[in-house]
Amino acid sequence: ECYTVHARDRYQALRRIIDTRPEFYGIVFCRTRLDTQEVAELLHEDHYQSDALHGDLSQDQRDRVMKSFRTRQIKILVATDVASRGIDVTDITHVVNFDLPDDYDVYTHRSGRTGRAGKEGISIVLANLREHYKIRILEGIVKKKFEHKRVPTSKEICDIKLKQILDKMVSMETADKELAPYLPAIMSAFE
């Protein structure tokens, strides 16, 4: 998938894309350590389960981050290409290219993180208008067309989050007699 955004809007686009995918468990690739740390901190401040993986981390810090990611305490790993080498995590649902790499083989390597052990996933690119020539080159290399999408609206995000809450409520196991006294108030609130 490809989303065309202004550079200044990349982070907000990333949030909106993640917000419309409740099952998101993936890696956000940034070009530099500084960008990686900044995006991870912003996501953490906005209450996303995220952390950064880059070359400035000690081996202990790296091990802690990877353990948290493997056990899904962290759902979003923000990483540089160099730091992510050797990561072997299954069931990754999404890879986001926050920045397009200069080396096209790196894109293939990043995207391949979702296709481990016969699994499927979604590779997402946040590109600006000047990078569309790179998208065409990538399409030729991977022999697949990008699906160009628009960034989700706040209404779409709200609809998805509301559906999530309703599904969670419906799936809660409660004895009918325990719930009965609350039904009028619940129904009134839903009106």
Side-chain angles (χ1 to χ4, degrees):
E1 295 177 1
C2 180
Y3 295 84
T4 302
V5 297
H6 293 288
R8 69 180 180 274
D9 298 328
R10 279 184 206 263
Y11 176 70
Q12 290 305 323
L14 173 66
R15 283 189 55 206
R16 286 174 177 255
I17 292 164
I18 291 170
D19 285 346
T20 59
R21 297 151 195 260
E23 77 289 357
F24 191 101
Y25 174 60
I27 304 174
V28 176
F29 284 102
C30 295
R31 203 176 278 146
T32 68
R33 292 178 199 166
L34 184 63
D35 288 344
T36 300
Q37 192 63 44
E38 183 180 320
V39 170
E41 286 173 6
L42 287 169
L43 286 167
H44 188 74
E45 287 169 12
D46 288 333
H47 308 288
Y48 293 89
Q49 297 166 310
S50 63
D51 210 338
L53 187 68
H54 53 73
D56 286 348
L57 299 179
S58 69
Q59 189 60 47
D60 283 346
Q61 290 170 314
R62 181 183 169 86
D63 291 343
R64 180 191 54 76
V65 169
M66 286 310 302
K67 181 180 180 193
S68 295
F69 188 58
R70 281 191 184 97
T71 60
R72 293 187 180 232
Q73 292 171 309
I74 294 172
K75 300 268 183 152
I76 306 166
L77 182 66
V78 186
T80 58
D81 295 306
V82 173
S84 71
R85 288 196 183 126
I87 293 175
D88 189 24
V89 178
T90 56
D91 299 327
I92 290 175
T93 61
H94 295 81
V95 166
V96 178
N97 293 274
F98 193 78
D99 300 299
L100 272 173
D102 292 325
D103 181 349
Y104 298 114
D105 289 337
V106 171
Y107 171 82
T108 305
H109 179 72
R110 288 175 175 184
S111 298
R113 301 286 177 176
T114 65
R116 302 266 163 133
K119 305 280 183 174
E120 290 188 7
I122 298 172
S123 178
I124 297 169
V125 172
L126 301 178
N128 63 46
L129 285 171
R130 290 187 308 246
E131 294 175 314
H132 275 268
Y133 75 94
K134 287 184 177 182
I135 297 296
R136 286 190 294 280
I137 292 170
L138 282 172
E139 287 175 334
I141 291 169
V142 300
K143 297 183 181 11
K144 205 168 192 176
K145 290 279 185 194
F146 276 89
E147 186 179 335
H148 291 268
K149 294 188 153 193
R150 61 175 178 68
V151 176
T153 65
S154 55
K155 183 187 180 322
E156 290 168 326
I157 293 167
C158 189
D159 289 347
I160 289 169
K161 290 200 177 262
L162 182 59
K163 185 181 179 325
Q164 245 185 309
I165 293 167
L166 292 174
D167 288 346
K168 189 174 182 180
M169 289 178 69
V170 168
S171 67
M172 288 177 14
E173 292 184 27
T174 308
D176 286 340
K177 60 184 166 193
E178 290 178 22
L179 188 59
Y182 302 103
L183 279 176
I186 291 170
M187 297 312 286
S188 174
F190 280 135
E191 283 178 15

